[in-house]
Amino acid sequence: MNIWPFSKKDYDLNGNRFYQEYVIEREITASERQLKVTAALAAGLRIAEGVAAMPIITGTKRYDEKGRKITAPVMDGDLFERLTISPNDYMTPVEFVESLTLHAVFEGVGRAYIDRGYKGKIRRLIPLLDGNVTPRKDSETGRVFYSGTIPGIGSVSDLTRRDFIEITAPRWSDIEGLDVTSEIQKVLSLALTLEGRQTEDGAKKSVRGYLSTDQQLSPEAAKLVKEALADKLPGTPIFDSGTTYRSIVPTQAEMQLLETRRFLIEEVARAYGIHPIFLAHDAAGQSLTRIADAMDYHVTVTLAPWARRWEQAIAFSMLKADQFVNMDENQYYRGDLKTQGEYGSKALGNNAAWETPNDIRARTGQNPIEGGDELPRAVPAKEVKDGA
């Protein structure tokens, strides 16, 4: 019996029966695994984009006679310009925050040099994303110093953390953030192997079935059949015995592969602290109708810790005692128009108002109005009764 087309060694790899063998035996040589694994890349992007989307508010602070903090945003000066307008001459604030956050998520630290000029004026923020600078701890004094090379500045040594904005993952040691990517390298290696294997199978156009016939075909007849099937069933083998078409169903190994892929997404989500639904995972059947709950999880559990790290890193290196910084996550709670209306109605309530009309308008992106900066006056019940 002849087989058309004649057997090729590559055909042995068309099916999925070799998955287990190749998953176990292959090695991953990528130096940036997290960028090549879909779930890990998505997790890093969701975190970096989420943090960068929060407006950075800076200004002055003081305390009243009862110890309550009173803040006043400041919309000018080098601090405001570097954090909200132009960190340097080639990046926007969003790009700057995203870059440092991505490196902190994937490598344990995101660092930028604060280039100060006359009287400490902040001229620019220079991201250090290639390991240009490393910290070391003096064993005798316990102090930490930084040394290395800064683009546009040159070699530096004996600098301190106050010369940098340094965002780290939770610290494993006192001077190093935890490198999550290295800690879960086995999970990422397996995920990368599976994705590579699927890519190879797709390129080889796995066989969907085969044709057989009772009659032995001549080379000319087999060629005509192949040409007739070229558009509809490309790559279909022809056996000249038996006249039926049989479909090749997924193997048990292939079905297990799909289950393994789902498990790997969940493992990546656990490692990077992100809800699986933000990695396009069904999250155990959860519906997108409950996206509000997932968004609360995302802001509270995933983004809030990174926002606090940014606030404290900025305060540590750039702020004076009478200044403050706030990563404003309120925009994530805007909700739909109905929800906004219900909130605004309660916030402006006559007997327990906690926001002014202009506060509500600012939250929805509208300009202030004259007379809108006063809290609605609480009306005593007696005045309401007398007025009636």
Side-chain angles (χ1 to χ4, degrees):
M1 180 181 71
N2 298 324
I3 299 179
W4 303 91
F6 291 108
S7 297
K8 295 182 179 180
K9 184 176 181 180
D10 290 346
Y11 289 162
D12 292 339
L13 301 181
N14 279 339
N16 291 307
R17 57 178 181 258
F18 296 102
Y19 263 110
Q20 300 302 320
E21 174 186 351
Y22 279 81
V23 165
I24 293 174
E25 293 184 356
R26 291 187 179 186
E27 296 181 358
I28 304 302
T29 58
S31 59
E32 296 177 316
R33 291 186 177 90
Q34 74 280 353
L35 300 182
K36 302 180 185 300
V37 176
T38 306
L41 176 61
L45 290 177
R46 296 297 80 78
I47 293 172
E49 291 169 346
V51 174
M54 298 182 189
I56 302 178
I57 302 173
T58 59
T60 61
K61 67 179 180 181
R62 64 180 178 83
Y63 296 88
D64 64 13
E65 64 279 1
K66 294 184 179 180
R68 294 172 297 192
K69 184 169 68 172
I70 309 297
T71 61
V74 175
M75 303 298 181
D76 58 17
D78 56 315
L79 179 64
F80 173 79
E81 291 178 2
R82 296 293 80 78
L83 293 177
T84 63
I85 298 178
S86 57
N88 46 57
D89 59 0
Y90 57 92
M91 299 179 83
T92 67
V94 167
E95 293 167 347
F96 177 77
V97 173
E98 284 179 340
S99 295
L100 264 62
T101 304
L102 273 175
H103 280 265
V105 170
F106 287 143
E107 298 177 352
V109 61
R111 187 179 292 124
Y113 176 69
I114 305 171
D115 184 14
R116 293 184 171 95
Y118 181 65
K119 291 186 177 181
K121 180 179 175 62
I122 304 173
R123 297 186 296 192
R124 55 180 173 164
L125 303 175
I126 306 175
L128 306 173
L129 307 178
D130 298 319
N132 312 68
V133 172
T134 56
R136 60 180 175 82
K137 188 173 184 179
D138 188 286
S139 58
E140 295 184 1
T141 64
R143 298 184 61 188
V144 176
F145 298 97
Y146 294 70
S147 59
T149 303
I150 297 176
I153 301 295
S155 298
V156 296
S157 61
D158 295 335
L159 298 181
T160 70
R161 185 175 178 178
R162 297 189 186 279
D163 294 302
F164 304 90
I165 295 179
E166 184 170 287
I167 313 299
T168 69
R171 297 216 168 193
W172 181 247
S173 69
D174 55 353
I175 65 172
E176 294 181 353
L178 181 65
D179 187 343
V180 175
T181 300
S182 294
E183 297 301 320
I184 62 168
Q185 58 182 337
K186 290 184 178 180
V187 173
L188 296 182
S189 295
L190 179 57
L192 189 56
T193 300
L194 296 181
E195 291 186 6
R197 180 60 179 168
Q198 285 184 325
T199 301
E200 291 179 9
D201 280 353
K204 293 173 182 174
K205 297 180 180 180
S206 299
V207 177
R208 290 173 285 181
Y210 61 89
L211 289 174
S212 61
T213 175
D214 289 334
Q215 305 298 320
Q216 185 170 356
L217 299 178
S218 65
E220 293 76 13
K223 181 178 180 182
L224 292 175
V225 174
K226 276 189 61 180
E227 292 175 352
L229 296 174
D231 295 333
K232 297 181 179 180
L233 295 172
T236 300
I238 303 171
F239 298 86
D240 51 358
S241 61
T243 56
T244 59
Y245 174 79
R246 300 181 185 276
S247 176
I248 298 178
V249 299
T251 65
Q252 183 177 2
E254 185 174 3
M255 298 304 294
Q256 183 60 43
L257 169 71
L258 298 177
E259 189 64 30
T260 301
R261 288 296 303 272
R262 285 190 286 268
F263 171 74
L264 290 173
I265 293 175
E266 295 169 2
E267 285 293 280
V268 168
R270 291 188 188 101
Y272 291 105
I274 192 168
H275 197 292
I277 202 170
F278 289 96
L279 304 183
H281 187 283
D282 65 1
Q286 293 189 32
S287 171
L288 284 178
T289 58
R290 302 304 303 164
I291 188 64
D293 293 338
M295 196 65 204
D296 284 342
Y297 178 101
H298 187 57
V299 174
T300 304
V301 178
T302 304
L303 298 184
W306 286 103
R308 299 294 83 77
R309 292 182 185 115
W310 265 98
E311 289 173 350
Q312 294 190 11
I314 292 172
F316 185 92
S317 301
M318 303 178 72
L319 301 188
K320 299 176 182 178
D322 62 346
Q323 294 178 312
F324 81 95
V325 61
N326 176 43
M327 304 283 285
D328 186 12
E329 63 264 51
N330 286 332
Q331 64 171 335
Y332 289 115
Y333 295 106
R334 289 182 178 181
D336 53 44
L337 291 177
K338 179 181 177 182
T339 303
Q340 291 181 30
E342 292 175 351
Y343 173 82
S345 178
K346 293 179 180 179
L348 296 172
N350 286 332
N351 294 324
W354 66 83
E355 291 206 37
T356 67
N358 280 342
D359 290 334
I360 301 297
R361 293 177 67 84
R363 193 183 304 279
T364 56
Q366 302 180 71
N367 291 327
I369 58 175
E370 186 175 352
D373 293 319
E374 299 295 329
L375 286 173
R377 185 175 68 89
V379 180
K382 183 178 183 302
E383 291 185 20
V384 174
K385 182 178 180 180
D386 292 344

